[in-house]
Amino acid sequence: MAIAMEKKEKGKEKEKEKEKHSNLKHILIAILTPLPSIIFYLSFLHHYNHNHSSFPFPNSKIWSFCYHNPLLLVNVLFFFNVDVLFWLLGLLQSNNWLIDLYWTVIPVLLVHYYASHPNSKSNVVRSTIAIVLTWVWSIRLTHNYFRRENWEWGKREDWRFSDMRKQYGNSWWWISFFAVFLSQQVFLIGICLPMFAIHASDQLCGIYDLVAVLTCITGITVAYFADTQLHEFVTNNENSKKLGTPVIPNLETGLWRYSRHPNYFGEQLFWWGLYLFAWNLGYSWMFVGPLVNSMCLGYVTVLVERRMVAKECRAEAYRQYQKTTSVWIPWFKGSKVDEIKEKNM
């Protein structure tokens, strides 16, 4: 008996050591993967700073292109560094975890790219506010990502990608390039277009900038509290399972009492708030970015709800929840009388 227990303990220690090495490997991968784009862009800035007196780069078509085409340049860098490189790493690891993590980082890289590009011009106050808001958004989302993943790097990929991997089977290796990576370029570059607008105009700040700031802050705040309440709910249920006590089938307290997806609502509020900066600066067409992202998140909402009602332990409770609670925008539930009627039907 004692020998068996000793072997079991050694097995656990080996498993922990293996997980530790895997975590370190993923940390290294995450740090190194964006370096090609960062090094190339810093090289461009170096050439500009040392040759701008002889502008426009008479001896280099590459640097001249980089200067005159900031939007094309960022798309080229995204394509090769994220779409292609992240995709190849995903194939090697059979796990597309990297793009999920970098969703929280790429907007920060983009806002600094637009702010530092030699061809940019901006109001210092508006630019600083946009950078700070993007950092706060990123810190919140990154914290939530690692909290959800128990502070481990790359242990699992997004469940939607895992489901598609099973669905497409042997064809997933090439479909994933479009479904996971190229699509992310459309979403991320699109929703971050207001960052380009902010650094393409030095118009003075006004009342609409204040509205944009308040909208962004509200979105970040709602998303933070919604995700925290969800994390506490999941953690409490996991502890209940370990103790053998009943679990709560559905979260219906806090912000989740007024919306079935308050975290999604807060997230979208942030991006639409960022768009208000662009609208105020005359770039009203940039609504396509947050619109496409909202439509995508609407589809994700449908998938999440199907997943919820597919679980027998919470199916009935969630169906009742759907009948009484707003999908995204927080709103009051029906009256107690209506809820009683729903239960008796």
Side-chain angles (χ1 to χ4, degrees), residues 185-196:
Q185 180 162 353
V186 175
F187 298 143
L188 276 166
I189 297 293
I191 59 175
C192 290
L193 279 174
M195 297 173 183
F196 171 78

Side-chain angles (χ1 to χ4, degrees), residues 126 193-198 209 212 272-287:
R126 184 184 293 111
L193 279 174
M195 297 173 183
F196 171 78
I198 290 167
D209 292 292
W272 281 104
L274 199 67
Y275 163 70
L276 290 177
F277 285 112
W279 175 78
N280 183 41
L281 294 171
Y283 291 84
S284 57
W285 61 270
M286 289 185 177
F287 78 92

Side-chain angles (χ1 to χ4, degrees), residues 24 28 46 69 85 90 100 119 135 139 181 225 269-270 291 311 326 335-336:
L24 290 173
L28 186 63
H46 173 77
N69 302 280
L85 182 56
D100 204 23
N119 207 9
W135 268 99
I139 291 169
F181 299 101
F225 282 106
L269 203 58
F270 170 79
L291 178 61
K311 298 179 180 180
S326 171
S335 67
K336 290 292 182 181

Side-chain angles (χ1 to χ4, degrees), residues 197-221:
I198 290 167
H199 295 98
S201 173
D202 55 4
Q203 176 181 311
L204 293 176
C205 293
I207 187 65
Y208 291 109
D209 292 292
L210 178 60
V211 173
V213 171
L214 293 176
T215 303
C216 288
I217 292 174
T218 302
I220 293 171
T221 304

Side-chain angles (χ1 to χ4, degrees), residues 26-233:
H26 288 144
I27 290 173
L28 186 63
I29 290 172
I31 292 172
L32 293 178
T33 44
L35 288 184
S37 287
I38 293 172
I39 292 171
F40 179 87
Y41 183 64
L42 291 177
S43 297
F44 161 62
L45 292 181
H46 173 77
H47 278 77
Y48 174 78
N49 291 330
H50 284 270
N51 297 282
H52 67 276
S53 58
S54 58
F55 173 82
F57 305 105
N59 298 320
S60 176
K61 291 182 179 179
I62 293 177
W63 301 133
S64 182
F65 168 83
C66 293
Y67 178 84
H68 290 290
N69 302 280
L71 275 177
L72 281 177
L73 173 60
V74 78
N75 274 280
V76 170
L77 293 176
F78 196 110
F79 179 81
F80 287 106
N81 201 154
V82 179
D83 296 349
V84 176
L85 182 56
F86 282 27
W87 174 62
L88 292 175
L89 288 170
L91 292 180
L92 289 172
Q93 295 185 299
S94 297
N95 187 332
N96 295 310
W97 65 275
L98 201 54
I99 191 63
D100 204 23
L101 170 62
Y102 266 90
W103 242 96
T104 74
V105 178
I106 289 174
V108 172
L109 296 176
L110 288 175
V111 75
H112 282 288
Y113 165 82
Y114 291 128
S116 62
H117 194 279
N119 207 9
S120 71
K121 60 176 181 178
S122 62
N123 176 279
V124 175
V125 174
R126 184 184 293 111
S127 173
T128 302
I129 290 172
I131 291 171
V132 170
L133 286 172
T134 306
W135 268 99
V136 173
W137 169 87
S138 177
I139 291 169
R140 182 207 71 78
L141 194 59
T142 303
H143 171 260
N144 185 63
Y145 170 83
F146 282 113
R147 178 174 60 178
R148 186 188 67 208
E149 300 299 315
N150 294 319
W151 307 97
E152 294 181 355
W153 299 61
K155 187 174 183 179
R156 59 179 180 176
E157 66 180 354
D158 190 290
W159 61 268
R160 290 161 292 188
F161 301 154
S162 297
D163 287 351
M164 285 191 284
R165 184 185 298 277
K166 295 174 184 176
Q167 179 182 351
Y168 292 108
N170 294 333
S171 299
W172 178 239
W173 73 270
W174 66 267
I175 292 176
S176 63
F177 177 77
F178 300 94
V180 179
F181 299 101
L182 197 60
S183 63
Q184 303 303 325
Q185 180 162 353
V186 175
F187 298 143
L188 276 166
I189 297 293
I191 59 175
C192 290
L193 279 174
M195 297 173 183
F196 171 78
I198 290 167
H199 295 98
S201 173
D202 55 4
Q203 176 181 311
L204 293 176
C205 293
I207 187 65
Y208 291 109
D209 292 292
L210 178 60
V211 173
V213 171
L214 293 176
T215 303
C216 288
I217 292 174
T218 302
I220 293 171
T221 304
V222 169
Y224 170 76
F225 282 106
D227 280 333
T228 297
Q229 290 164 5
L230 178 61
H231 176 73
E232 290 173 352
F233 170 77

